[in-house]
Amino acid sequence: MAKYFDVHPENPQSRSIAQIADAVRSDALIAYPTDSCYALGCRLGSRDGMERIRSIRHLDDRHHFTLMCRDFAQLGQFVRVDNDVFRAVKASTPGSYTFILPATREVPRKLLHPKKKTVGVRIPDHVVTQALLAELGEPLLSSTLLLPDEEEPLTQGWEIKDRLDHVVDAVVDSGECGTEPTTVVDFSGGEAEIVRRGAGDTDRFE
């Protein structure tokens, strides 16, 4: 059964955040809220966690996983960002955007797109997620909690606990966080290509 954490959305309890971070370090797969919708997350180097996310979401090896980063400095450790892209990404973070960029050697090979050698990165504008990332000290390997054959992500912590109780290790509930996933912008070719229109405004990239 998944452990259930009821975390205050504005003043997250430090004890709960520490327990969640410890669980992630111990290879737990968690469901957690972000500024767009719920996500599945695990430790960056967790092969088991990555395969469990693939299994839950029925993903193939071309799926771009996302590194949920605390800030721009951390993001810069895992992707290569030239000056023009730097300005565009910096102006849009934190926020409901995922950026696809060439990965650095810090990213485990298993996470890379098999042909492009790219990875998704984002910096969330969500108090609880930021508290967890600060406690962890490294990015969370993440993917939107969108189940196969369903059009919208799950939004209620209790419902996630009910439906995924035996396939995730913990559920972090801090209230509703919306149903619209991030806007995905691919910068791997040098120019902005909007891959998915979502919660983030696309005007600045068109």
Side-chain angles (χ1 to χ4, degrees):
M1 289 178 60
K3 194 162 185 180
Y4 184 79
F5 293 92
D6 188 2
V7 180
H8 194 282
E10 296 174 4
N11 298 292
Q13 305 92 315
S14 56
R15 184 168 178 269
S16 294
I17 294 297
Q19 289 176 331
I20 298 162
D22 284 344
V24 171
R25 293 187 191 104
S26 300
D27 250 11
L29 176 62
I30 67 171
Y32 70 100
T34 76
D35 52 339
S36 59
C37 53
Y38 268 85
L40 294 167
C42 65
R43 183 174 58 84
L44 178 58
S46 175
R47 178 175 295 191
D48 177 66
M50 183 179 70
E51 293 307 323
R52 289 168 69 188
I53 292 173
R54 287 192 199 277
S55 176
I56 290 168
R57 292 204 53 204
H58 295 184
L59 301 172
D60 61 26
D61 65 357
R62 293 184 300 278
H63 175 73
H64 268 109
F65 281 95
T66 296
L67 301 184
M68 192 74 72
C69 299
R70 181 185 180 190
D71 53 26
F72 204 87
Q74 189 178 71
L75 180 149
Q77 297 174 36
F78 296 93
V79 290
R80 297 196 302 275
V81 188
D82 66 25
N83 288 339
D84 290 339
V85 174
F86 174 92
R87 285 190 289 271
V89 174
K90 183 81 170 171
S92 307
T93 55
S96 300
Y97 297 92
T98 299
F99 300 100
I100 297 172
L101 289 159
T104 67
R105 292 183 179 181
E106 297 293 320
V107 180
R109 184 179 296 178
K110 273 279 190 181
L111 297 186
L112 303 180
H113 186 283
K115 292 183 178 178
K116 295 182 177 181
K117 308 304 181 193
T118 51
V119 71
V121 287
R122 88 180 196 86
I123 302 171
D125 188 13
H126 192 279
V127 172
V128 174
T129 314
Q130 281 287 347
L132 176 56
L133 291 170
E135 181 70 26
L136 264 179
E138 64 177 39
L140 266 172
L141 169 62
S142 297
S143 184
T144 303
L145 210 177
L146 181 61
L147 298 179
D149 303 320
E150 296 193 13
E151 293 185 3
E152 290 195 343
L154 299 177
T155 62
Q156 301 277 1
W158 62 266
E159 183 185 13
I160 293 168
K161 172 80 163 73
D162 187 51
R163 294 186 60 181
L164 301 181
D165 204 20
H166 297 290
V167 292
V168 300
D169 301 304
V171 176
V172 182
D173 189 350
S174 60
E176 286 197 40
C177 56
T179 61
E180 198 170 15
T182 57
T183 290
V184 179
V185 184
D186 188 343
F187 273 113
S188 61
E191 300 288 329
E193 177 189 348
I194 298 168
V195 177
R196 179 179 71 196
R197 296 177 188 275
D201 183 10
T202 59
D203 286 353
R204 69 183 68 190
F205 302 110
E206 295 182 293

